[in-house]
Amino acid sequence: MKKKRKETTETETEDQMELLDDSQNEEEDEIKSVKQFKDSKRKAKGTVSDDGVLRPVKLSKKELYKAPTVEELNQLKEAENLFHCSILKMQMEELLKEVALSEQRKKLVDSFVHQITDFLQCVPESEVVELDDISWLSGVEVPFLLVPSTAKGKFHMEPPASINLVGSYPLGMCIKPKVSVDLAVTIPASILHPMDAINQRYSRKRALYLAGLARHLSFAKCVGSLHYSCLHGNRLRPVLLLKPPGNASSKVTLRIHAVPPPDFLKPSRFHPQKNNIRTEWFTGVASTQEDAESSEPPTPHYNSTVLGDHLPLSHLQFLSAVSAQCPAFGEGVALLKVWLRQRELDQGAGCFCGFLASMLMAYLLSTHKVGKTMNPYQLLRNALHFLASTDLTENGITLAKNPDSKAPSLPEFHAAYSVVFVDPSGHLNLLADMTVFTYKRIQHEASLSLTFWDDPTVDGFQALLMTPKSMLRTYDNVFKLVNLVKLQTSCKKLLLLNELMDHSGNYVLTALPFVLSLLQRGLGERIHLLVHSLPQDPEWSVGSAPPKHKDQPPLSIGLLLNLEHALSVLERGPPADNPKAAEFRQLWGSRSQLRRFQDGAITEAVLWSGNSISQRRFIVLKIITHLLELHADIPKSCITVGGGQLDDLIECDIQNHTTGEEESLEVVQSYDDLSRKLWQLKDLPLSITSVQGAHQALRYTQVFPPVPVRLDYSFFDKKKNHLGLVPKENKPCPCYIAPIKVIVHMEGSGKWPSEPMAIRHVKAAFHICLRELLCKQHNYRCHATPGYLDVWKDGLVFRIQVAYHREPQILRESLTPEGMLISRDNAEAQALELETLHKPFLTSTLHGLQQQYGCFGVVCRLAKRWLASQFLLEDIREEAADLLVASLFLHPAPFTPPSSPQVGFLRFLHLLSTFDWKNNPLIVNLNGKLTAVEQTDIKNDFVASRESLPTMFIVTPNDKKVSVWTKQVPSVQMLQRAVMLAAESLRVLETQLDSSEKQDMRVAFRPPLVAYDVLIHLDSKQVPLLAKAVDPPVNTFQRGTHGGQPFASGGALPVIDYDPVRLYLSELREAFGELALFFYDPYGGTVIAVLWKPNAFEPKPFKTSLMNARRVEVNGDVVTTVPNVEAILQDFRIIGEGLVKRLELRTEKWVV
Amino acid sequence: MAPSADQHARVIPGGFSVLSLRFSEDDAHAALHQLCVKEHRVRAESSTNRPLDRTLFVLNVPPYCTESVLTEVFSRFGSVQSVELKERPGASETSHSGVSRHFTDTLRQCFRVAYIVFKHASAVNAAKRHPENVPLVVSTAERPVRTGIHKWIQQYSDSLIKASSLQQDIDQFMNNYDRQKEEEAERQNQEAEQQQEDEEGWVKVTKSSRGVKVRPHSETANERMLKREKKKSERKELLNFYTWQHRNTQKEHIAELRKKFEEDKQRIAVLRAQRKFRPY
C-alpha cells in the first residue's frame, strides 16, 4: 500500500529555503561592508533559525554591560525617544531599501533614456498640412478623441526643441514597483501659434506631435513596446509609454510628454475665470447673442490642463532646490508615496500622485512645518498630520512666495475648483481635478493612520505602509456603476453643458461630482464617508484608436456606514410649514409624504420597507437607486452590488429573509426571562450566586440560532411514564433542537462535600430540586439528569448546569504521602473550568461586543458558516472563530470596524490567511483590559516559549498564558490547510465581487472533495439540518414541527440534542481515529469525507496493544500487522446502518 | 458446513490463534475482522476474577461487540462465566462500588480487548483450535445486534430517566458518604482525645499520633509564606541611594535598551528572510 500526497507542500518549503539562502547571502555581504556592527550582526544572524521562527535573544553578560561608546549611546537614545520601539525605525529603513532603485536598474534606465533621446533628435521634418489631415501618419493613430471633429490650424513635424528628464527620476525619488521615467519633449515654437490655446487647438497639435513621435519611434530598434496612455485620466494630455525590449521590459517605463516651450503662452490667459473654449465651436450651434465673448462660461479645468503643460521644467527646478535643503526629503516622499499607493490614491483621474506628494512635502518645508534635519519617519508623520488637520477644500494653500499681480487670488481659485493647492508660479492649481470626496478620503485615511501610529499596541508599520487597502476590503458597502454611457444622459438631466465643455466632453468626470453630492445629500447621516474609485488611466496601442469614455471600467462607490442610522426605515424631514420642506420634497420626489408622528409633529418623511435587519441593510441601496433614477436618469440596471448573496447562506427564515439577528434576540429574551425566574425561585436549599449563558446563541454568534418550534406529536413515539418523546424509526430524523446551555452557580457553603464524586451527586440533587421547583412554580416541562437539567420553554430548550466554584480546585487537589496538600493541574479540571468559567465569561463579553458593534454577530455567523462548509469548524473551534472575528472589531487597523457582513467576512478571510501564527500571538483585547506593557510581556513570553505553545495562540485578558480555545486543535497541518483555503476563497470572492456581473457567491462555500480518500454519502432523510446546507435540496422532509406559535410552557418534552450524524461521527472517530481523519459540514452536509492518515498503512510489528482494526501477516518468524481496510469499510456501513447511503472509494490514491 | 481438509487453527508466532469474525450471517462475501486469541497468562497477576486456566484473552474486538454479544458468540466453545472488555490490555480495575449507573462514565466505542472467563478450562482450548475459515457471527436472526439509527434511538430512549430513581441513587450514595465521614470524624476525635492531657497532666504518646499535625499544611500556603518573606526583605532595601547603586541602575537601563535593540534586529532579520518588507 502506498500513498501519494503532499508533493506540493514539499516544493513550497523548498522555495522558502531558497529565499532564505538568498537573504542570508545578502546579509553576509553587509557584514563585510559595515564593520562597526560586525559583532552584533553576527549575533542577530546566529539566533535566526532556518525555519524563520523567532528565538529568544541571549546576550552574554560581557556584551550587555560593556562600556558604551558615545555613538551607540546616541543611537539608543534616539531609538528610545522617537519611536515606540526602535523596531519601527528599522522597519522603515528596510522598506526604503526595498523600494529604492538599485544601481543596476539606474544604469539600465540611463542608457535607455540616452538611446531614446538620441533617436528623437533626428525626427524628420514633414510638410505643412491642415490640422484635420492625418493621412501622413500612416499606421499610427492620434491619441485624441476628436470631439468636435473640426478644428482650424496647420501642422507639421519638426525635431524637438529640447528633450529633458522631468518628474521623480531626476530628483532621485522614483520608487518601485512601477518605475516610470518622465521625458519632456519640447515642441518647437514654429509649430504652435499664439492663439492655439483656444478651442483645444494646442491640445490637438500636441497629440499630433506625439503621434508623429510615435510613428518615428516605431522604427527604432531599441524600443520594445509602444503604447499611448494619458496623464491622470486627462484625455487632453496623452503620453507615450515606451518599454525597452526583451527581459528589461518590466523594469522601466518611459513616459514621453510633449510640452510647449516654457514661456510660449502667458499664464494670465489661463486665469480660472477665463474662457478658452467657445460654446459655438463646441456645440456647433451658432450663437445668437451679440456679446458672445463676455457671456462665455469660464473653463477652469481646461485652463489648468493647458497651463500644466508649461510648467514641468520649472517645477523640477523648484523641487530640486527644495530637496537639496533637506537630506531626508527623498525618503520622506518615498514613504508618503508608499502610503498613498497602499490606499489606491496615487493613480487615475483626480489622484494624489507622487508629484503632488513631493509638492506637499516642499510646502511643509517652505512653511517650516517640518524641519530640515528631520528624518523620513518624522516627515511622513508631519505630512499625515497636516493632511488630517487641514481642509484644502476650504482653506487652500499656495507655494507661490511672491505671485505676480496677474495671478488669481485664493478665493478665485476656490470659486473655480473644489480643492486648492497652488503651485510656485501662483497660476496653477495642482489639485484642479480632485473631487471633494477624494480629498475627504485622504483626510480620513490620514487621521486614521495617525490614531494607529499613536497607539503603542498596534503594529503601526504594518497598518500604515504594508497593508493594501482595496476598496472591497475597506468600505462597508461597495456599489458599482456599470454602463457608464448613461452618465451622458445624466449630464443632460443635470444641465451640465458648461462643465462638460470644460472637461472637453468627458462626461464621466463631469457628472461624477454632481452625482456623488446628490448621494451625499440623500444618505446624510446614514454614512460616515462616501468615496469613489478613481477612473484608471486607459492604455492602448499606438495602432488603435483611443478608447471612448464609455469603455471605461465600472466606477465603484464605497460607503462607510454609520450603523446607528444606516438601518433606519424612516427618513424624517422638516415640518410641513418649514421652507426647507420644499427642498426635501424636491430631493425625494414622490417618495416624500406628509406624516404625523406620535409626538404630534407633522413632517415630511420618507418611509422605506424592510422587516428584518437583513432587508434593512439594503435600504442604502434603495436610496441610491431611487435618487440616481430620479435625478440623474441612471436606471437601476446600471447599479450592481455584491455581497447580498452571502446573506443567503445564513438565512434562517426564508419567508421573512432574516439572517439570524431576530432569532438570536428572541433566544436572548427568553433566556433573560428564565434567568429572572431562576433568581426568584423560592425554597432552594442554597441560594443562586450567578446565572450565566454559555451558549453561542446567547452571544449572537450561533450560525443558525435555535428557532422556537411547535411539535407535531403524531410524528414521535411516546416514552412510558410521560418522560418525553422519542424519534420513530421509520420516520425521517426529527428536527434538531439544540439545548441552550446555562450555567447556574450555587452559593458556597460548608455543606458542600469535599470529594469529587460526592459533589457530582449533590449537583444532580440540585438538578432534581430545580426541576421540581420550576415544574411547580412555572409549569415548565423539565428533565433532570446527573449532568444537567433540560427545561422546555417557549419552544426552546435550555440546558441548566449547576456549578460549584470550588470544584475545579478540588479536582486538582491531592494529598502526598507526607500529608502535604498539593495542587496539580489535570484535564478533567481544565474541561470543567472551560465549561463553567471560560465559556460563560466569553459569552457575556461577546454579548457586550454585539451591543457595541451591531454587525459583530452576523460576521461571526458568516465566518463560521464558511469554516463549517470547508470542514474546518472542528479544528478551529467556534469560540476561537468568535475571537478571531472579535479581533477584527477591536483591532481594525488599518481599517475601521466593519459595519456590513460582507466586508467583515472578507477581512476575516484575510486575517486567517495572512496572520503570522508562527511568530505572533493574536491578542484580542476584550474590554481593553490589557495594557501596552502587558501586551509586550505577552509577546516576549510567547517568543520565549513558542515551541510548547499551541499552533494558533489567541490571548484574551482572562487567558494570557494558555489560549484555552486553541489548545487541542488545530494541528499545524490543519492550520496550514485553513490558511490555504482562506486565501483561495478570498481570491475567488474578491474577483467575483469585483466583476460587474452577478455571480454565484456560494463557490467559496463548496469544499473541494478531491483530496479525500473515502466519501461516505449519507441518507438525507436522517440529516436533521438538511435545509441549512450550502446548496439546500428541494425536498427537505417533514421533521415533526407545526407552523404557528409555540407554547410558552407545558406539553411533552421534545427530542433534544438528537443528531444521528454527530453520533455516527463520534463513533467513527472513537473506533478509527488512529487510522483516519473524518470531516463533515455540521450544517446540513450529506457527505463525510475520510482521509487516511499518512502513515496509517505502514506495516507494524505485532503487539497486543496495537492490534485494533488490523490484520496479521506472517512472514517466517516475523509477524506484522496492517489495517484491515476491507473490514473497516464494512464497519463504516455497519456502524452507520440506516444512515449511510453509499461509500465512494477513491482507490486511485491508495491501493489496497 | 462440510468439513474440509484445511480445517485447522491458524497459530501465529507469539502463540495467538487467529479467528475470524463476521457481522451478519446473511452476507457471505463481506470482509472479516481477525480476532487474536490466547489463554490469559500473566506472571504477576493474582486477580481472582481472571483465573489463569479458564480465561481467554481476545484482541481486536470491534466496537459493536458488547459483553452480552461476546458471551453469546463464545458460548459455542463452552459456557461463559464472565466477559470483561477493556480499551487496552492490563490489570483489571476495581469497579466503582456503590456508584449507580447514572454516574459512571460511558464507554468509548472503540476496538477493545476482552478477557473471557469460561466455566471450564477445556473451552479455552476449543476456542484456540477453532479454524480460521469458519467465521464467528455477531448478529444472527435469533439475536440481532442493533447498530446505527436503531441503536441511537434506543440510546436516546434509555437516556430519559425518571427523576425519582435518580433521587433514590443519590440518597443512597449520600447516606453512605455521610456515614463514612462520620466514622472518619469519630476516629479523628478519638485520636485527638488520646493526645489530651489526662487529669494528672500526662499525655499518652502513641505511634499513630505522629501523623496528625497541628495545622494542615498545603503547597499554596507555603508559597504564600515565601512571597510574604520576599516582600518584606524588598521593602527594607534602599534603592538608588549610594552612587554605585545609581550607576548600576544606569547600566541596567543601557543593557535593557541593548537587549531590546538586539531583539528588534533579530525580528527584522526574520522578517527580511521572509521578504516581509515588500509593500506590494
Side-chain angles (χ1 to χ4, degrees), chain A residues 820-848:
Chain A
M820 168 113 102
L821 193 65
I822 55 165
S823 152
R824 293 285 173 270
D825 210 356
N826 57 36
E828 203 184 347
Q830 279 175 4
L832 188 72
E833 255 183 1
L834 204 66
E835 287 294 322
T836 60
L837 206 73
H838 292 294
K839 259 190 195 168
F841 179 76
L842 185 75
T843 305
S844 64
T845 316
L846 293 185
H847 181 274

mmCIF file of all heavy atoms in Angstrom, chain A residues 820-848:
data_model
loop_
_atom_site.group_PDB
_atom_site.id
_atom_site.type_symbol
_atom_site.label_atom_id
_atom_site.label_comp_id
_atom_site.label_asym_id
_atom_site.label_seq_id
_atom_site.Cartn_x
_atom_site.Cartn_y
_atom_site.Cartn_z
ATOM 1 N N MET A 820 1.093 16.514 52.718
ATOM 2 C CA MET A 820 1.054 17.860 52.148
ATOM 3 C C MET A 820 -0.033 17.914 51.093
ATOM 4 O O MET A 820 -0.181 17.012 50.271
ATOM 5 C CB MET A 820 2.412 18.165 51.528
ATOM 6 C CG MET A 820 2.392 19.388 50.680
ATOM 7 S SD MET A 820 3.358 20.692 51.364
ATOM 8 C CE MET A 820 4.810 20.605 50.369
ATOM 9 N N LEU A 821 -0.791 18.996 51.118
ATOM 10 C CA LEU A 821 -1.879 19.163 50.161
ATOM 11 C C LEU A 821 -1.303 19.828 48.912
ATOM 12 O O LEU A 821 -0.888 20.982 48.968
ATOM 13 C CB LEU A 821 -2.951 20.042 50.802
ATOM 14 C CG LEU A 821 -4.288 20.089 50.105
ATOM 15 C CD1 LEU A 821 -4.963 18.742 50.123
ATOM 16 C CD2 LEU A 821 -5.160 21.140 50.766
ATOM 17 N N ILE A 822 -1.244 19.123 47.812
ATOM 18 C CA ILE A 822 -0.688 19.744 46.613
ATOM 19 C C ILE A 822 -1.769 19.903 45.557
ATOM 20 O O ILE A 822 -2.795 19.227 45.581
ATOM 21 C CB ILE A 822 0.478 18.927 46.012
ATOM 22 C CG1 ILE A 822 0.014 17.496 45.739
ATOM 23 C CG2 ILE A 822 1.686 18.948 46.913
ATOM 24 C CD1 ILE A 822 0.948 16.746 44.849
ATOM 25 N N SER A 823 -1.510 20.822 44.650
ATOM 26 C CA SER A 823 -2.496 21.093 43.616
ATOM 27 C C SER A 823 -1.836 20.868 42.266
ATOM 28 O O SER A 823 -0.857 21.519 41.933
ATOM 29 C CB SER A 823 -2.984 22.531 43.786
ATOM 30 O OG SER A 823 -3.394 23.047 42.582
ATOM 31 N N ARG A 824 -2.325 19.917 41.517
ATOM 32 C CA ARG A 824 -1.759 19.602 40.203
ATOM 33 C C ARG A 824 -2.846 19.700 39.149
ATOM 34 O O ARG A 824 -3.938 19.156 39.316
ATOM 35 C CB ARG A 824 -1.162 18.192 40.204
ATOM 36 C CG ARG A 824 0.048 18.042 41.071
ATOM 37 C CD ARG A 824 1.279 18.682 40.418
ATOM 38 N NE ARG A 824 2.407 18.675 41.325
ATOM 39 C CZ ARG A 824 2.701 19.651 42.188
ATOM 40 N NH1 ARG A 824 1.922 20.724 42.269
ATOM 41 N NH2 ARG A 824 3.751 19.583 42.972
ATOM 42 N N ASP A 825 -2.497 20.377 38.052
ATOM 43 C CA ASP A 825 -3.482 20.568 37.002
ATOM 44 C C ASP A 825 -3.784 19.229 36.324
ATOM 45 O O ASP A 825 -2.908 18.401 36.164
ATOM 46 C CB ASP A 825 -2.918 21.534 35.962
ATOM 47 C CG ASP A 825 -4.027 22.314 35.297
ATOM 48 O OD1 ASP A 825 -5.197 22.035 35.612
ATOM 49 O OD2 ASP A 825 -3.728 23.197 34.486
ATOM 50 N N ASN A 826 -5.033 19.040 35.934
ATOM 51 C CA ASN A 826 -5.355 17.853 35.146
ATOM 52 C C ASN A 826 -6.458 18.149 34.142
ATOM 53 O O ASN A 826 -7.126 19.183 34.210
ATOM 54 C CB ASN A 826 -5.727 16.678 36.040
ATOM 55 C CG ASN A 826 -6.883 17.003 36.939
ATOM 56 O OD1 ASN A 826 -7.804 17.717 36.560
ATOM 57 N ND2 ASN A 826 -6.848 16.502 38.160
ATOM 58 N N ALA A 827 -6.607 17.266 33.200
ATOM 59 C CA ALA A 827 -7.516 17.505 32.071
ATOM 60 C C ALA A 827 -8.960 17.677 32.525
ATOM 61 O O ALA A 827 -9.686 18.527 32.015
ATOM 62 C CB ALA A 827 -7.420 16.344 31.082
ATOM 63 N N GLU A 828 -9.334 16.900 33.537
ATOM 64 C CA GLU A 828 -10.724 16.943 33.992
ATOM 65 C C GLU A 828 -11.062 18.326 34.542
ATOM 66 O O GLU A 828 -12.090 18.916 34.219
ATOM 67 C CB GLU A 828 -10.907 15.868 35.073
ATOM 68 C CG GLU A 828 -12.322 15.430 35.237
ATOM 69 C CD GLU A 828 -12.440 14.428 36.388
ATOM 70 O OE1 GLU A 828 -11.390 13.929 36.863
ATOM 71 O OE2 GLU A 828 -13.561 14.185 36.807
ATOM 72 N N ALA A 829 -10.133 18.848 35.366
ATOM 73 C CA ALA A 829 -10.354 20.160 35.964
ATOM 74 C C ALA A 829 -10.387 21.234 34.891
ATOM 75 O O ALA A 829 -11.215 22.160 34.934
ATOM 76 C CB ALA A 829 -9.252 20.463 36.972
ATOM 77 N N GLN A 830 -9.516 21.100 33.911
ATOM 78 C CA GLN A 830 -9.496 22.088 32.840
ATOM 79 C C GLN A 830 -10.789 22.086 32.056
ATOM 80 O O GLN A 830 -11.343 23.144 31.741
ATOM 81 C CB GLN A 830 -8.325 21.799 31.895
ATOM 82 C CG GLN A 830 -7.017 22.336 32.421
ATOM 83 C CD GLN A 830 -5.867 21.921 31.537
ATOM 84 O OE1 GLN A 830 -6.065 21.302 30.499
ATOM 85 N NE2 GLN A 830 -4.674 22.272 31.946
ATOM 86 N N ALA A 831 -11.267 20.901 31.749
ATOM 87 C CA ALA A 831 -12.514 20.806 30.989
ATOM 88 C C ALA A 831 -13.659 21.448 31.767
ATOM 89 O O ALA A 831 -14.484 22.169 31.206
ATOM 90 C CB ALA A 831 -12.824 19.351 30.681
ATOM 91 N N LEU A 832 -13.681 21.197 33.077
ATOM 92 C CA LEU A 832 -14.744 21.762 33.903
ATOM 93 C C LEU A 832 -14.637 23.288 33.939
ATOM 94 O O LEU A 832 -15.637 23.999 33.837
ATOM 95 C CB LEU A 832 -14.652 21.185 35.318
ATOM 96 C CG LEU A 832 -15.833 21.549 36.213
ATOM 97 C CD1 LEU A 832 -17.063 20.784 35.770
ATOM 98 C CD2 LEU A 832 -15.519 21.257 37.654
ATOM 99 N N GLU A 833 -13.411 23.795 34.058
ATOM 100 C CA GLU A 833 -13.227 25.241 34.086
ATOM 101 C C GLU A 833 -13.653 25.871 32.769
ATOM 102 O O GLU A 833 -14.235 26.945 32.735
ATOM 103 C CB GLU A 833 -11.760 25.568 34.362
ATOM 104 C CG GLU A 833 -11.545 26.041 35.772
ATOM 105 C CD GLU A 833 -10.118 26.441 36.048
ATOM 106 O OE1 GLU A 833 -9.279 26.376 35.128
ATOM 107 O OE2 GLU A 833 -9.851 26.818 37.184
ATOM 108 N N LEU A 834 -13.347 25.176 31.687
ATOM 109 C CA LEU A 834 -13.725 25.669 30.375
ATOM 110 C C LEU A 834 -15.237 25.850 30.297
ATOM 111 O O LEU A 834 -15.733 26.862 29.830
ATOM 112 C CB LEU A 834 -13.259 24.652 29.328
ATOM 113 C CG LEU A 834 -13.036 25.161 27.920
ATOM 114 C CD1 LEU A 834 -11.885 26.125 27.909
ATOM 115 C CD2 LEU A 834 -12.759 23.996 26.996
ATOM 116 N N GLU A 835 -15.961 24.843 30.818
ATOM 117 C CA GLU A 835 -17.407 24.881 30.714
ATOM 118 C C GLU A 835 -18.035 25.899 31.658
ATOM 119 O O GLU A 835 -18.956 26.601 31.284
ATOM 120 C CB GLU A 835 -17.988 23.493 31.034
ATOM 121 C CG GLU A 835 -17.775 22.464 29.964
ATOM 122 C CD GLU A 835 -18.533 22.794 28.689
ATOM 123 O OE1 GLU A 835 -19.664 23.299 28.791
ATOM 124 O OE2 GLU A 835 -17.971 22.571 27.606
ATOM 125 N N THR A 836 -17.537 25.928 32.889
ATOM 126 C CA THR A 836 -18.240 26.718 33.893
ATOM 127 C C THR A 836 -17.643 28.091 34.121
ATOM 128 O O THR A 836 -18.249 28.927 34.772
ATOM 129 C CB THR A 836 -18.258 25.981 35.243
ATOM 130 O OG1 THR A 836 -16.908 25.768 35.649
ATOM 131 C CG2 THR A 836 -18.973 24.672 35.144
ATOM 132 N N LEU A 837 -16.447 28.333 33.582
ATOM 133 C CA LEU A 837 -15.803 29.608 33.855
ATOM 134 C C LEU A 837 -15.553 30.376 32.559
ATOM 135 O O LEU A 837 -16.034 31.482 32.364
ATOM 136 C CB LEU A 837 -14.470 29.336 34.561
ATOM 137 C CG LEU A 837 -13.956 30.446 35.443
ATOM 138 C CD1 LEU A 837 -14.787 30.510 36.704
ATOM 139 C CD2 LEU A 837 -12.498 30.194 35.788
ATOM 140 N N HIS A 838 -14.792 29.768 31.646
ATOM 141 C CA HIS A 838 -14.373 30.486 30.443
ATOM 142 C C HIS A 838 -15.531 30.724 29.485
ATOM 143 O O HIS A 838 -15.672 31.802 28.940
ATOM 144 C CB HIS A 838 -13.263 29.708 29.736
ATOM 145 C CG HIS A 838 -11.985 29.679 30.507
ATOM 146 N ND1 HIS A 838 -11.242 30.803 30.734
ATOM 147 C CD2 HIS A 838 -11.334 28.691 31.135
ATOM 148 C CE1 HIS A 838 -10.162 30.491 31.442
ATOM 149 N NE2 HIS A 838 -10.209 29.210 31.711
ATOM 150 N N LYS A 839 -16.355 29.697 29.280
ATOM 151 C CA LYS A 839 -17.438 29.855 28.311
ATOM 152 C C LYS A 839 -18.431 30.943 28.735
ATOM 153 O O LYS A 839 -18.751 31.807 27.937
ATOM 154 C CB LYS A 839 -18.166 28.530 28.089
ATOM 155 C CG LYS A 839 -17.733 27.844 26.821
ATOM 156 C CD LYS A 839 -18.647 26.682 26.518
ATOM 157 C CE LYS A 839 -17.983 25.796 25.481
ATOM 158 N NZ LYS A 839 -18.680 24.521 25.349
ATOM 159 N N PRO A 840 -18.934 30.899 29.983
ATOM 160 C CA PRO A 840 -19.856 31.971 30.365
ATOM 161 C C PRO A 840 -19.222 33.346 30.268
ATOM 162 O O PRO A 840 -19.845 34.301 29.812
ATOM 163 C CB PRO A 840 -20.197 31.643 31.822
ATOM 164 C CG PRO A 840 -19.880 30.231 31.993
ATOM 165 C CD PRO A 840 -18.786 29.912 31.034
ATOM 166 N N PHE A 841 -17.946 33.440 30.627
ATOM 167 C CA PHE A 841 -17.295 34.740 30.571
ATOM 168 C C PHE A 841 -17.201 35.239 29.134
ATOM 169 O O PHE A 841 -17.532 36.379 28.827
ATOM 170 C CB PHE A 841 -15.899 34.651 31.185
ATOM 171 C CG PHE A 841 -15.161 35.951 31.134
ATOM 172 C CD1 PHE A 841 -15.487 36.970 32.016
ATOM 173 C CD2 PHE A 841 -14.191 36.183 30.186
ATOM 174 C CE1 PHE A 841 -14.840 38.181 31.955
ATOM 175 C CE2 PHE A 841 -13.540 37.390 30.114
ATOM 176 C CZ PHE A 841 -13.860 38.397 31.000
ATOM 177 N N LEU A 842 -16.788 34.351 28.248
ATOM 178 C CA LEU A 842 -16.673 34.729 26.836
ATOM 179 C C LEU A 842 -18.040 35.146 26.295
ATOM 180 O O LEU A 842 -18.171 36.125 25.571
ATOM 181 C CB LEU A 842 -16.140 33.542 26.033
ATOM 182 C CG LEU A 842 -15.858 33.819 24.567
ATOM 183 C CD1 LEU A 842 -14.589 34.629 24.444
ATOM 184 C CD2 LEU A 842 -15.739 32.548 23.773
ATOM 185 N N THR A 843 -19.060 34.388 26.702
ATOM 186 C CA THR A 843 -20.391 34.685 26.199
ATOM 187 C C THR A 843 -20.841 36.075 26.623
ATOM 188 O O THR A 843 -21.331 36.847 25.806
ATOM 189 C CB THR A 843 -21.384 33.627 26.700
ATOM 190 O OG1 THR A 843 -20.893 32.350 26.318
ATOM 191 C CG2 THR A 843 -22.750 33.840 26.123
ATOM 192 N N SER A 844 -20.627 36.411 27.898
ATOM 193 C CA SER A 844 -21.107 37.721 28.325
ATOM 194 C C SER A 844 -20.279 38.833 27.702
ATOM 195 O O SER A 844 -20.805 39.873 27.342
ATOM 196 C CB SER A 844 -21.105 37.814 29.850
ATOM 197 O OG SER A 844 -19.793 37.722 30.317
ATOM 198 N N THR A 845 -18.958 38.605 27.520
ATOM 199 C CA THR A 845 -18.129 39.657 26.932
ATOM 200 C C THR A 845 -18.512 39.910 25.483
ATOM 201 O O THR A 845 -18.639 41.050 25.051
ATOM 202 C CB THR A 845 -16.642 39.256 26.981
ATOM 203 O OG1 THR A 845 -16.382 38.705 28.260
ATOM 204 C CG2 THR A 845 -15.766 40.443 26.763
ATOM 205 N N LEU A 846 -18.696 38.818 24.739
ATOM 206 C CA LEU A 846 -19.020 38.994 23.325
ATOM 207 C C LEU A 846 -20.438 39.521 23.148
ATOM 208 O O LEU A 846 -20.734 40.219 22.185
ATOM 209 C CB LEU A 846 -18.842 37.677 22.566
ATOM 210 C CG LEU A 846 -17.397 37.194 22.476
ATOM 211 C CD1 LEU A 846 -17.302 35.961 21.610
ATOM 212 C CD2 LEU A 846 -16.489 38.270 21.933
ATOM 213 N N HIS A 847 -21.308 39.200 24.096
ATOM 214 C CA HIS A 847 -22.649 39.780 24.075
ATOM 215 C C HIS A 847 -22.526 41.295 24.156
ATOM 216 O O HIS A 847 -23.218 42.037 23.444
ATOM 217 C CB HIS A 847 -23.458 39.229 25.251
ATOM 218 C CG HIS A 847 -24.859 39.741 25.312
ATOM 219 N ND1 HIS A 847 -25.177 40.916 25.941
ATOM 220 C CD2 HIS A 847 -26.014 39.244 24.825
ATOM 221 C CE1 HIS A 847 -26.482 41.126 25.830
ATOM 222 N NE2 HIS A 847 -26.998 40.119 25.154
ATOM 223 N N GLY A 848 -21.598 41.762 25.003
ATOM 224 C CA GLY A 848 -21.351 43.202 25.101
ATOM 225 C C GLY A 848 -20.814 43.764 23.798
ATOM 226 O O GLY A 848 -21.191 44.853 23.377
#
